[in-house]
Amino acid sequence: MIKLRYSKRLFKRSPSSKQAAACGGGGGNGSAAGAGGGAGEIEWEVRPGGMLVQKRDGKGGEEVIVVRVSTGYSWHDVSIGATSTFGELKLMLSMVTGLEPREQRLLFRGKEREDSDHLHMVGVRDKDKVLLLEDPALKDMKLRALAAQVVQSPCQPFIQV
């Protein structure tokens, strides 16, 4: 059996030689306390998908991305949080396009996405393109209802007795 050495340096932040020289702490002992404002321990967070990642800086809150949504004949730029879901994107698009969220189908990278899918988990980044299609079944139902309202009966009397 082989015993491996455990190195604490893997889990500590050590400033690079340029940062240490700029801060005046060029001792090279690997401690993060000499760095200008750097924390000694790394903070971790769990993402919605269950992945454990290093915590981001709290500057500015949630990252906002711009998603370009194409409807075939026109496009809209929508600003939304990077960790939002496709359902939340549909709600924002309903205000822009006038289509209800249940009438919308969103495609990203050739696949239709569910309302519960998170944008960042699927890989949507800033300035990425999402295709918006109207649900064909609901579109057909709307056309049939409109046609039934226009023509109620084929024979209408001209003279009433």
Side-chain angles (χ1 to χ4, degrees):
M1 182 177 262
I2 299 173
K3 188 175 183 181
L4 299 175
R5 287 187 182 175
Y6 174 75
S7 175
K8 291 184 178 180
R9 289 190 329 183
L10 292 174
F11 299 104
K12 287 186 177 180
R13 289 186 181 170
S14 60
S16 66
S17 60
K18 291 180 183 177
Q19 287 178 341
C23 294
N29 60 0
S31 69
E41 296 182 18
I42 298 174
E43 295 182 27
W44 299 92
E45 68 179 347
V46 178
R47 293 281 172 87
M51 182 181 287
L52 181 67
V53 296
Q54 186 175 351
K55 192 170 187 176
R56 297 180 186 166
D57 292 334
K59 300 173 185 171
E62 184 177 332
E63 182 182 354
V64 176
I65 60 173
V66 176
V67 179
R68 177 166 280 189
V69 181
S70 174
T71 59
Y73 54 87
S74 66
W75 53 268
H76 307 281
D77 286 336
V78 178
S79 297
I80 192 166
T83 57
S84 299
T85 62
F86 278 90
E88 294 168 358
L89 180 60
K90 283 183 178 183
L91 286 173
M92 294 191 74
L93 288 172
S94 67
M95 292 183 265
V96 175
T97 61
L99 290 173
E100 292 182 27
R102 65 182 184 91
E103 298 173 351
Q104 300 174 9
R105 296 289 175 253
L106 292 177
L107 285 91
F108 179 68
R109 292 188 182 162
K111 295 180 183 175
E112 183 178 347
R113 302 299 176 171
E114 298 294 324
D115 290 351
S116 60
D117 291 343
H118 289 267
L119 297 174
H120 71 285
M121 297 299 285
V122 176
V124 178
R125 291 180 289 223
D126 194 27
K127 301 287 185 187
D128 277 353
K129 188 176 180 181
V130 175
L131 184 64
L132 170 65
L133 299 175
E134 189 175 356
D135 186 15
L138 291 173
K139 188 176 182 180
D140 186 40
M141 287 174 54
K142 283 168 70 175
L143 286 174
R144 288 184 183 187
L146 185 63
Q149 288 178 356
V150 172
V151 180
Q152 293 179 356
S153 67
C155 299
Q156 294 182 358
F158 291 106
I159 303 173
Q160 289 184 350
V161 180

